[in-house]
Amino acid sequence: METLVKQPATDQTTIRPLEKRLALQLAPDRLNAFFPLLQRGVTVPAIMGCSLRSLLCDQFAIPSDYVTDRITTIFINNRPLDDLDTTIIEDGLRVTLSAAMPGLVGATMRRGGFYAALRQGISHVGSNRQTADEMGVVRLKLFNLLLPELGPLILARGLLLEQDELDELLMRLPELSLHNPNGTGRTHLSATFGE
Amino acid sequence: MDKIARIDMGAAGGPKVTVGGLGDYAGLGGRAMTSLMVAAEVHPLAHPLGAENKLVISPGMLSGTTGSMTGRLSVGCKSPLTGTIKESNAGGQAAQVLARLGYAAVVLEGKPATDDIYKIYINKDGIQVIMDNSLKLMNNYPVIEKLRKEYGDKVAYMSIGSAGERKLLSASIACTDPELRPTRHCGRGGVGAVMGAKGIKAIILDDAGMKMRPPKDPEKYRDANRKFVEGLRKHPVTGEGLPAYGTNVLTNVLNEAGGYPTNNFKSGQFAKASDLSGETQAALEISRGGNATHGCHRGCVIQCSGIYNDKDGNYVTKQPEYETVWSHGGHCGISNLDTVAKLDYMDDNIGVDTIEMGVTIGVAMDAGLAEFGDDAGAIRLMEEVEKGTPLGRVLGSGAAITGKVFGVERVPVVKDQALPAYDPRAVQGIGVTYATTTQGADHTAGYAIATNILKVGGDVDPLKTEGQIELSRNLQIATAAIDSTGMCLFIAFAIMDQPETFQALLDMLGSFHGIEMTGDDVVALGKKVLSAERDFNTRAGFTKHHDRLPRFFYNEPIAPHNQTFMMKDEELDEVFNW
């Protein structure tokens, strides 16, 4: 594999390809460039077979109280979810995280909310089914307030980008003089943000 | 607010103004005032554009005070779109100014004998009704620009565009925002057509020399308002989400839930939804020198609106709201925010309801007048409305009329009013409210108003099936009450989640009027308003058979959940049994 690593510090962030891994160090204001991708969803490697709560708290290292108080709206495969503990992570699962939303329907979508009955036909039903404890991927989306708050954490941990996703991202980061590996397949990207 | 002004536009010799006391309407404001007055004084079989209909304009019970979020203005009448009673409300400056002038209601009555059009000027000295045919067929932005030269910038304006003068059934009434742009609209139900039928083009509200309305208990009111504002600011929806992204923050979430009606309700998901999202919109507005955080009236602490500029930094329109971005966006297969913003400006300028107009264009696309996703086609159809061509008049009369004229079966209306941006097959509970509300399909008729705290109807288990009927009933009751206070509905989230903030609201109401206010009083007010509205509709010929969704919602499953609307008719008929 090729690796794309950041070159020694210059006045401009640049990277060069060595293998198909991309590790970026960017200025904090470049975080916005990742928001379109994170809204649409990114592929994140994870260990399968655990509960959603464990995925968020143990694997993604999101503080427990943040999960409880801030991530108030969650969708699993397009279904609003009420119980984090009975949802088991399987390969290819689509996980969408959002803060509290306005409107009656926003309130309706809330996890365990008072108006959950209004959407009961589409609610996610959990299971206790155990799956193998092996690596897989989830498709993760972040919405609204969680974009700036969880984006850095997810990006630092790393995600897998298809070629078209990487191309789009690099268009939003024109300051990177990246020698783009022209090939197909995924790139493992991680990014950290700081001065 | 101790007086009611009645303006008889059909009086012999010209418009006649009568100012009187409150009488049976003492203590009322907002929707309570408009609905109880229309129910009592308008013949239920009156033609909505005829002399027997009345247009009642009323600020909320707390409008014109120092209280935060108190700037909603209600307009009521018999609706030319639905044939039902109608209350439509908007933000902007008008409610605050009208309340400070002391009017609990201004009532437009009768019908002028000629085609002349008038403007109404209201200040501390009284009311003048002035013929001004120079304003004929002008749209809202140029009308306000013209009036500003005469009346200045320290007033509030209400106006109708060409759609109102043409009596189109989607016509709205515009209220100016703090920058005097006609961007806040009483949109639903064709209230602008009723104002046009009365021959009124504009109302100028001038509160020079007037003071804030004083509360009976100033200290308690000040303290309650402080706690209320604290509650709004600390809540993640009212203090963070809405200020940062506006209501359009819902696009991504509804799309993810499969409840985002796409291509005239053919799918519950739009592949390009993220291009339209509030997150994308806010970033674009900021990058263009606009503003993603802006209030529609002074005294708003939520600031859910914004300013949308073009790529060169020039003002296009206010930040389009979620319903607008949906109706002109995903509903029509359009994913370009600049197109949506242009259509939003045209809606505001011509003076039409953005929900009704966007849904109508989607129906027209189903009829083959344009392709889904055809940005230029959508704009072309709006231009027909602006010009008042025969096609434009059909389109401007709403989705139901357009569907009939062009033989479209999939027409998303209830009581001839277009559905808002939530598919009832995915979110069945909101379909209950769409079907049964007194107003025609309306997402704000049963808002998320603290029914858990109010205990409207007792304790409801929200996880039981029957909870959907009870919740819809309770939400409609609570919403009718809040619509009467002049409070913005977006306070809902803070008062739903924070009992101390709800108590602060009750204390504001109580200390202002010098009474003790409880949750029971709020519920009683809501029931009184809804009962009057239901009674009017019954006398107007509406039965339980009108409280239904269009059949395609029962027959056509929608992706991704492949559900139909499953609530039984007998269940819907239980909503108003209390």
Side-chain angles (χ1 to χ4, degrees):
Chain A
M1 286 185 68
E2 296 174 300
T3 296
L4 303 171
V5 295
K6 182 174 178 283
Q7 287 184 329
T10 64
D11 58 347
Q12 179 181 342
T13 305
T14 55
I15 49 181
R16 59 187 171 82
L18 291 178
E19 62 179 82
K20 279 195 99 174
R21 295 183 74 86
L22 182 60
L24 301 175
Q25 268 186 279
L26 298 168
D29 65 359
R30 306 310 288 143
L31 177 61
N32 291 357
F34 293 83
F35 289 171
L37 274 178
L38 292 167
Q39 278 186 72
R40 286 205 301 274
V42 291
T43 302
V44 179
I47 301 168
M48 303 292 101
C50 66
S51 69
L52 177 59
R53 186 183 301 280
S54 176
L55 175 76
L56 299 177
C57 296
D58 301 332
Q59 297 195 54
F60 292 172
I62 302 171
S64 175
D65 57 351
Y66 184 97
V67 171
T68 302
D69 299 334
R70 195 70 162 171
I71 309 177
T72 52
T73 310
I74 299 178
F75 295 90
I76 297 293
N77 292 343
N78 298 123
R79 294 185 176 275
L81 169 142
D82 293 303
D83 188 347
L84 288 149
D85 297 308
T86 60
T87 298
I88 304 300
I89 303 302
E90 300 173 1
D91 192 31
L93 199 71
R94 299 195 303 278
V95 179
T96 301
L97 309 178
S98 167
M101 287 289 93
L104 172 60
V105 175
T108 297
M109 294 300 160
R110 270 195 215 176
R111 193 153 49 81
F114 187 77
Y115 301 111
L118 299 176
R119 44 84 170 167
Q120 62 185 206
I122 61 169
S123 298
H124 176 75
V125 179
S127 77
N128 291 317
R129 183 158 49 105
Q130 295 298 309
T131 58
D133 188 17
E134 58 190 24
M135 286 301 294
V137 295
V138 295
R139 188 75 179 166
L140 179 69
K141 291 184 186 179
L142 298 180
F143 290 164
N144 48 73
L145 298 172
L146 306 191
L147 280 165
E149 293 175 0
L150 293 184
L153 197 152
I154 299 299
L155 289 164
R157 187 176 178 277
L159 42 86
L160 299 170
L161 294 183
E162 301 294 340
Q163 191 65 44
D164 60 339
E165 294 175 318
L166 179 60
D167 291 343
E168 182 197 318
L169 175 65
L170 294 178
M171 285 180 64
R172 295 178 190 279
L173 296 168
E175 70 273 26
L176 298 181
S177 51
L178 173 67
H179 304 291
N180 193 0
N182 59 27
T184 56
R186 291 171 167 174
T187 297
H188 183 279
L189 176 140
S190 62
T192 55
F193 301 86
E195 298 299 340
Chain B
M1 298 205 311
D2 57 356
K3 54 192 175 186
I4 292 174
R6 293 175 184 270
I7 303 174
D8 181 358
M9 296 303 297
K16 180 184 175 188
V17 179
T18 308
V19 178
L22 300 175
D24 293 342
Y25 304 112
L28 301 179
R31 180 172 167 183
M33 174 67 83
T34 64
S35 286
L36 293 177
M37 185 177 284
V38 170
E41 299 185 13
V42 173
H43 194 291
L45 299 178
H47 193 292
L49 302 178
E52 288 183 300
N53 201 5
K54 300 187 181 190
L55 189 76
V56 184
I57 302 166
S58 179
M61 294 158 67
L62 291 177
S63 300
T65 74
T66 56
S68 181
M69 311 302 302
T70 56
R72 300 299 288 191
L73 181 82
S74 289
V75 170
C77 59
K78 179 176 178 178
S79 165
L81 181 75
T82 65
T84 66
I85 199 166
K86 173 58 62 180
E87 185 266 355
S88 184
N89 60 63
Q93 288 294 110
Q96 304 285 28
V97 178
L98 185 58
R100 282 197 285 273
L101 284 164
Y103 293 96
V106 172
V107 189
L108 307 183
E109 303 178 336
K111 186 174 184 178
T114 68
D115 289 335
D116 296 314
I117 61 170
Y118 294 81
K119 58 191 178 189
I120 299 172
Y121 178 65
I122 307 177
N123 71 356
K124 64 181 172 55
D125 300 320
I127 297 177
Q128 300 173 52
V129 184
I130 306 157
M131 187 189 299
D132 189 347
N133 287 318
S134 72
L135 302 176
K136 264 193 176 175
L137 287 178
M138 289 180 77
N139 283 324
N140 281 314
Y141 274 87
V143 161
I144 299 305
E145 280 310 302
K146 189 172 194 304
L147 291 173
R148 283 175 71 177
K149 290 174 183 158
E150 188 173 357
Y151 296 99
D153 292 348
K154 294 183 177 177
V155 298
Y157 297 97
M158 299 173 66
S159 61
I160 58 171
S162 56
E165 283 190 69
R166 292 186 173 116
K167 305 178 188 68
L168 303 186
L169 304 188
S170 63
S172 62
I173 298 173
C175 300
T176 50
D177 62 17
E179 290 78 29
L180 295 178
R181 290 166 173 152
T183 57
R184 325 314 307 191
H185 287 243
C186 298
R188 308 239 67 190
V191 293
V194 179
M195 186 157 149
K198 302 297 181 197
I200 303 299
K201 181 69 178 178
I203 303 173
I204 302 102
L205 302 166
D206 181 353
D207 65 352
M210 303 300 292
K211 294 180 178 174
M212 293 282 185
R213 294 172 62 206
K216 286 275 183 5
D217 186 339
E219 194 171 332
K220 189 174 180 184
Y221 186 75
R222 191 166 49 247
D223 185 54
N225 186 48
R226 180 180 56 76
K227 290 175 180 169
F228 185 64
V229 169
E230 285 174 0
L232 293 174
R233 288 195 166 133
K234 76 179 182 185
H235 192 278
V237 171
T238 50
E240 295 180 87
L242 282 170
Y245 305 113
T247 58
N248 192 24
V249 71
L250 283 167
T251 291
N252 272 332
V253 169
L254 262 294
N255 196 59
E256 192 65 18
Y260 187 80
T262 301
N263 291 359
N264 193 25
F265 288 79
K266 293 193 194 72
S267 172
Q269 287 189 312
F270 184 41
K272 298 179 179 176
S274 68
D275 293 350
L276 294 170
S277 73
E279 294 89 325
T280 301
Q281 181 175 255
L284 187 66
E285 287 170 345
I286 292 167
S287 73
R288 290 176 171 182
N291 188 353
T293 306
H294 179 264
C296 76
H297 71 275
R298 295 188 186 95
C300 169
V301 297
I302 295 178
Q303 307 261 312
C304 73
S305 191
I307 301 297
Y308 192 101
N309 288 347
D310 66 17
K311 60 183 172 49
D312 299 319
N314 301 309
Y315 173 85
V316 176
T317 187
K318 93 285 191 185
Q319 175 176 286
E321 293 195 47
Y322 168 62
E323 305 294 337
T324 307
V325 176
W326 162 76
S327 70
H328 284 307
H331 174 69
C332 294
I334 288 170
S335 60
N336 186 328
L337 279 171
D338 284 334
T339 300
V340 170
K342 180 177 175 62
L343 290 165
D344 180 72
Y345 170 81
M346 294 179 80
D347 288 333
D348 285 353
N349 195 35
I350 300 166
V352 288
D353 174 25
T354 62
I355 297 175
E356 194 68 45
M357 206 62 247
V359 170
T360 299
I361 290 173
V363 170
M365 287 175 164
D366 245 350
L369 298 186
E371 296 291 323
F372 285 100
D374 178 0
D375 297 42
I379 292 169
R380 176 173 50 77
L381 292 175
M382 279 297 296
E383 287 170 346
E384 296 281 342
V385 181
E386 183 168 23
K387 292 172 191 165
T389 65
L391 172 60
R393 284 173 181 261
V394 170
L395 298 170
S397 291
I401 295 279
T402 298
K404 286 176 181 170
V405 169
F406 291 100
V408 178
E409 183 181 346
R410 187 183 297 98
V411 181
V413 299
V414 174
K415 301 182 182 82
D416 285 350
Q417 180 165 286
L419 262 69
Y422 315 88
D423 198 296
R425 289 164 289 191
V427 191
Q428 305 262 319
I430 202 166
V432 176
T433 298
Y434 283 167
T436 61
T437 166
T438 54
Q439 307 285 325
D442 186 346
H443 64 296
T444 64
Y447 216 64
I449 306 287
T451 54
N452 51 332
I453 297 174
L454 282 167
K455 304 285 185 198
V456 191
D459 288 305
V460 174
D461 181 351
L463 295 179
K464 287 186 177 174
T465 308
E466 59 268 32
Q468 303 201 42
I469 298 298
E470 291 170 324
L471 281 172
S472 176
R473 174 193 305 140
N474 300 344
L475 289 165
Q476 291 190 57
I477 291 169
T479 304
I482 295 295
D483 278 344
S484 304
T485 64
M487 286 284 178
C488 173
L489 275 182
F490 294 160
I491 67 170
F493 321 104
I495 66 174
M496 176 171 66
D497 293 335
Q498 300 164 179
E500 72 278 13
T501 308
F502 182 70
Q503 186 58 49
L505 171 63
L506 292 179
D507 289 344
M508 285 176 72
L509 285 161
S511 59
F512 188 84
H513 294 284
I515 55 175
E516 282 300 316
M517 194 92 181
T518 68
D520 289 344
D521 297 320
V522 175
V523 173
L525 176 62
K527 285 184 174 177
K528 183 177 180 180
V529 172
L530 277 180
S531 294
E533 292 174 349
R534 288 279 293 181
D535 177 60
F536 180 91
N537 287 353
T538 300
R539 289 184 285 123
F542 286 84
T543 71
K544 62 183 181 182
H545 302 298
H546 295 93
D547 290 344
R548 305 288 184 261
L549 297 183
R551 288 304 298 169
F552 77 88
F553 286 112
Y554 298 85
N555 299 331
E556 297 180 10
I558 191 170
H561 300 298
N562 294 317
Q563 280 195 167
T564 57
F565 186 66
M566 293 178 286
M567 302 301 298
K568 294 184 174 66
D569 290 351
E570 301 76 41
E571 292 176 306
L572 296 177
D573 295 340
E574 290 299 310
V575 169
F576 284 95
N577 284 341
W578 63 60

